[in-house]
């Protein structure tokens, strides 16, 4: 349905326009002043993409109202209503971004024709923005390095979810790139030209985090010498990314829930609220289901955040990406450190591929930077890798080798703990005749962890 906001201080004229446009199939909102019109558009702009604005009104006049509306949405089509003797001011307003003007009282047919043209223009702008968003989305997908099946699924998620307005909950282990995924989702959205504002909920104490999120007014507390907008206000029209959301204190969870529901914030020390238009992205490396069950996270907030959930795979689950990631990261690190390393040996890649990467891509980048800095040639080899990569679990005594009895040959030594872990895993698999789901349940671990440990001990090659 075509949608219109009339801003006019004459009730009779508003009634006439409403009747004409509703007969033409439009939905119509009304405001009796420029101030009210700006408030309505700020709160419900998507419900009224076309504005019919009277130039002469008490208080905020048409020129000031036009400026305020375009501060909210520079592409908003505004059609001006002007008396015959003030056409010159309407022409001047068109130079400042108005779409067209009509003289009062407007002819009904001319009114409908002009507003329909404004609607067609708005639809064209939206289509152009959508196409640009798709192109930006492809660039955003390219920023998420990887060609493995798990990463192709993440790429497809960005293409589908990026242009939406839905809240996204990003989960995954530390170092998997949750912030990078948030940046890709923002870049693929229609909000890409607006700000992506980031907040680490674990990095600030509760008292400071509240003022950072919601802002404060001058005099709200000792040291508040001037007004400060919160992160929600800074992200208005764009995207707010709340990292480590599971660490948000319970008292702030209630306030965050209210902001999500009401789409308005109340700065500290204020007696009024401020409308905000923000898309919310959140991330955590914790299991929020467990946090809810333990009483550390509000269930109603979890449901608000969990509209769309995406889990970033750990590096060990997309090890096929490791050679490609190594090449990309080395190019970046070579420029950063002014080194000319252009090759890696097969043994170097093999050693990296055999390591489980508990720190994920972040750990890989650190290892590569160390190797690059210490390298004396243009090719990286295993001699530039730290000991924990070549031998992640060294024996307790130098030179001592521990192999579980009746095990296949392993590429590295096993600690006493690993021997026990291997034996428990082997017995559980034998008891359940190799059934992965039953074995994982019996051991109290996830199926993914079971898969990793089976690969770790080369048990996939054995018969139960």
């Amino acid at each position: 349905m075509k949608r219109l906001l009339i801003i006019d201080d004459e009730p009779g004229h508003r009634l006439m326009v409403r009747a004409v446009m509703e007969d033409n199939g439009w939905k119509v909102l009304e405001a009796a002043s420029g101030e009210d019109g700006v408030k309505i558009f700020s709160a419900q702009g998507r419900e009224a993409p076309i504005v019919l604005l009277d130039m002469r009104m008490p208080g905020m006049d048409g020129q000031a109202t036009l400026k305020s509306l375009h501060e909210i949405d520079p592409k908003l089509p505004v059609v001006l209503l002007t008396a015959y003797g003030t056409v010159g001011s309407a022409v001047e307003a068109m130079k400042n971004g108005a779409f067209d003007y009509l003289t009062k009282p407007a002819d009904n047919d001319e009114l409908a024709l002009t507003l329909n043209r404004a609607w067609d223009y708005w639809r064209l702008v939206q289509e152009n923005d959508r196409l640009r968003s798709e192109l930006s989305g492809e660039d955003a997908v390219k920023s998420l390095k990887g060609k493995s099946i798990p990463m192709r699924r993440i790429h497809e998620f960005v293409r589908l979810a990026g242009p939406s307005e839905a809240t996204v909950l990003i989960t995954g282990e530390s170092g998997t790139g949750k912030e990078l995924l948030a940046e890709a989702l923002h870049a693929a959205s229609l909000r890409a030209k607006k700000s992506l504002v980031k907040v680490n909920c674990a990095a600030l104490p509760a008292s400071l985090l509240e003022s950072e999120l919601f802002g404060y007014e001058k005099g709200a507390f000792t040291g508040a010498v001037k007004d400060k907008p919160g992160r929600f206000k800074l992200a208005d029209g764009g995207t707010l990314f709340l990292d480590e959301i599971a660490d948000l204190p319970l008292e702030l969870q209630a306030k965050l829930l209210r902001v999500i529901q009401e789409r308005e914030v109340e700065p500290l020390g204020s007696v009024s609220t401020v409308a905000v238009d923000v898309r919310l992205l959140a991330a955590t490396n914790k299991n929020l289901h467990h946090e809810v069950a333990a009483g550390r996270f509000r269930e109603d907030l979890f449901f608000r955040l969990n509209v769309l959930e995406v889990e970033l795979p750990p590096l060990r689950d997309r090890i096929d990406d490791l050679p490609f990631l190594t090449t990309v990261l080395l190019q970046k690190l070579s420029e950063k450190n002014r080194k000319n390393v252009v090759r890696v040996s097969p043994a170097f890649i093999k050693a990296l591929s055999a390591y489980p990467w508990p720190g994920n891509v972040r750990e890989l980048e650190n290892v590569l930077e160390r190797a690059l800095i210490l390298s004396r040639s243009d090719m990286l080899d295993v001699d530039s890798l730290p000991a924990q990569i070549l031998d992640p679990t060294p024996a307790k005594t130098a030179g001592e080798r521990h192999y579980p009895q009746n095990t296949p040959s392993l590429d590295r030594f096993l600690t006493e703990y690993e021997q026990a872990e291997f034996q428990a895993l082997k017995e559980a698999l034998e008891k359940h005749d190799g059934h992965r789901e039953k074995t994982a349940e019996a051991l109290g671990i996830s199926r993914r962890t079971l898969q990793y440990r089976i690969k770790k001990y080369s048990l996939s090659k054995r018969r139960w």
Side-chain angles (χ1 to χ4, degrees):
M1 181 179 290
K2 299 175 183 179
R3 301 179 297 279
L4 172 70
L5 170 62
I6 313 167
I7 305 176
D8 192 335
D9 63 320
E10 297 181 24
H13 194 260
R14 293 201 309 271
L15 181 62
M16 183 275 292
V17 171
R18 173 185 283 275
V20 171
M21 299 316 297
E22 286 184 344
D23 284 347
N24 280 271
W26 287 61
K27 177 181 178 180
V28 180
L29 300 176
E30 295 183 37
S33 67
E35 294 87 348
D36 286 346
V38 171
K39 287 179 181 178
I40 290 173
F41 183 76
S42 178
Q44 306 183 52
R46 297 180 185 281
E47 293 299 316
I50 310 299
V51 172
L52 184 63
L53 172 64
D54 190 12
M55 287 293 293
R56 300 185 65 179
M57 295 182 293
M60 182 184 285
D61 65 8
Q63 293 279 13
T65 304
L66 174 66
K67 181 180 178 181
S68 295
L69 290 171
H70 276 170
E71 286 176 353
I72 300 170
D73 183 357
K75 298 177 182 178
L76 172 69
V78 179
V79 176
L80 305 173
L81 286 168
T82 181
Y84 180 76
T86 57
V87 169
S89 62
V91 173
E92 184 64 27
M94 288 184 65
K95 294 179 182 178
N96 295 327
F99 178 77
D100 205 343
Y101 74 93
L102 296 167
T103 55
K104 294 177 70 173
D107 176 78
N108 291 351
D109 290 338
E110 187 180 10
L111 174 68
L113 180 64
T114 301
L115 292 178
N116 277 313
R117 284 197 301 106
W119 176 265
D120 290 340
Y121 165 80
W122 180 81
R123 290 292 299 273
L124 182 61
V125 167
Q126 295 300 302
E127 180 65 14
N128 287 340
D129 285 348
R130 185 188 66 79
L131 292 172
R132 278 195 296 268
S133 175
E134 287 183 1
L135 292 173
S136 298
E138 288 304 314
D139 290 338
V141 164
K142 292 175 184 176
S143 71
L144 298 168
K145 308 300 183 185
K147 300 177 182 179
S148 63
I149 291 175
M151 285 309 294
R152 289 206 296 267
R153 290 173 182 155
I154 296 297
H155 296 166
E156 185 64 12
F157 179 86
V158 171
R159 292 188 185 97
L160 294 173
S164 77
E165 290 292 310
T167 300
V168 179
L169 178 63
I170 306 169
T171 62
E173 297 177 8
S174 294
T176 50
K178 295 186 288 294
E179 184 175 333
L180 191 62
L181 177 54
E183 292 172 355
L185 287 167
H186 173 70
S189 74
L190 296 177
R191 298 171 177 265
K193 290 188 176 180
K194 296 287 187 176
S195 298
L196 169 63
V197 178
K198 304 172 185 177
V199 182
N200 188 325
C201 299
L204 298 171
S207 56
L208 184 56
L209 184 57
E210 181 175 8
S211 62
E212 281 295 313
L213 285 174
F214 310 126
Y216 56 79
E217 291 194 346
K218 179 181 178 180
F221 50 84
T222 303
V225 295
K226 61 179 181 179
D227 293 351
K228 178 182 177 179
R231 301 292 180 92
F232 268 97
K233 189 59 182 175
L234 292 175
D236 193 27
T239 304
L240 181 66
F241 174 51
L242 299 179
D243 199 6
E244 306 295 352
I245 188 68
D247 293 310
L248 189 70
L250 277 169
E251 61 269 24
L252 290 187
Q253 291 179 26
K255 294 184 177 182
L256 175 61
L257 179 65
R258 184 184 181 281
V259 173
I260 296 173
Q261 291 173 335
E262 305 297 330
R263 295 293 176 180
E264 58 186 23
V265 297
E266 184 176 331
L268 295 177
S270 176
V271 295
S272 60
T273 58
V274 179
V276 289
D277 173 24
V278 170
R279 185 194 188 179
L280 197 62
L281 306 177
T284 179
N285 59 7
K286 296 181 180 179
N287 187 318
L288 284 188
H289 292 279
H290 293 168
E291 296 299 302
V292 169
R296 294 187 291 267
F297 202 84
R298 293 179 62 108
E299 185 177 35
D300 46 5
L301 178 58
F302 170 68
F303 290 135
R304 284 284 183 177
L305 295 174
N306 197 33
V307 178
L308 292 174
E309 182 177 355
V310 57
E311 181 180 6
L312 271 171
L315 182 53
R316 63 180 173 272
D317 283 356
R318 57 181 187 109
I319 210 70
D320 291 346
D321 287 330
L322 194 138
F324 175 67
L325 283 172
T326 299
T327 300
V328 172
L329 290 172
L330 281 176
Q331 287 175 349
K332 182 182 79 169
L333 295 170
S334 294
E335 293 176 6
K336 172 186 172 183
N337 293 284
R338 296 180 294 279
K339 297 277 285 187
N340 187 30
V341 174
V342 295
R343 295 181 297 155
V344 294
S345 72
F348 184 88
I349 292 295
K350 183 178 180 181
L352 295 182
S353 300
Y355 182 68
W357 298 107
N360 293 295
V361 179
R362 186 181 299 140
E363 183 183 10
L364 173 63
E365 184 170 358
N366 291 340
V367 167
L368 291 176
E369 185 163 20
R370 177 190 182 279
L372 181 119
I373 291 170
L374 298 179
S375 174
R376 291 186 173 88
S377 70
D378 64 351
M379 184 176 76
L380 294 183
D381 208 342
V382 291
D383 57 358
S384 59
L385 289 172
Q388 72 267 22
I389 302 297
L390 299 173
D391 185 8
T393 52
K396 295 173 69 174
T397 305
E400 182 182 359
R401 301 193 178 192
H402 296 285
Y403 289 98
Q405 192 174 9
N406 299 324
T407 66
S409 176
L410 299 176
D411 292 332
R412 59 187 181 83
F413 305 154
L414 298 178
T415 62
E416 291 178 1
Y417 171 81
E418 285 185 310
Q419 292 180 61
E421 182 181 64
F422 169 83
Q423 196 62 35
L425 182 61
K426 178 173 172 287
E427 290 173 0
L429 283 165
E430 288 175 346
K431 180 179 179 180
H432 297 286
D433 197 28
H435 194 286
R436 305 294 173 88
E437 191 170 336
K438 291 180 180 179
T439 302
E441 186 178 351
L443 292 172
I445 59 178
S446 69
R447 185 182 175 90
R448 178 173 292 171
T449 301
L450 176 67
Q451 292 287 96
Y452 164 66
R453 290 179 181 171
I454 287 173
K455 183 176 180 180
K456 171 182 175 180
Y457 296 117
S458 301
L459 283 167
S460 59
K461 301 175 184 177
R462 296 178 61 83
R463 297 283 298 175
W464 322 117

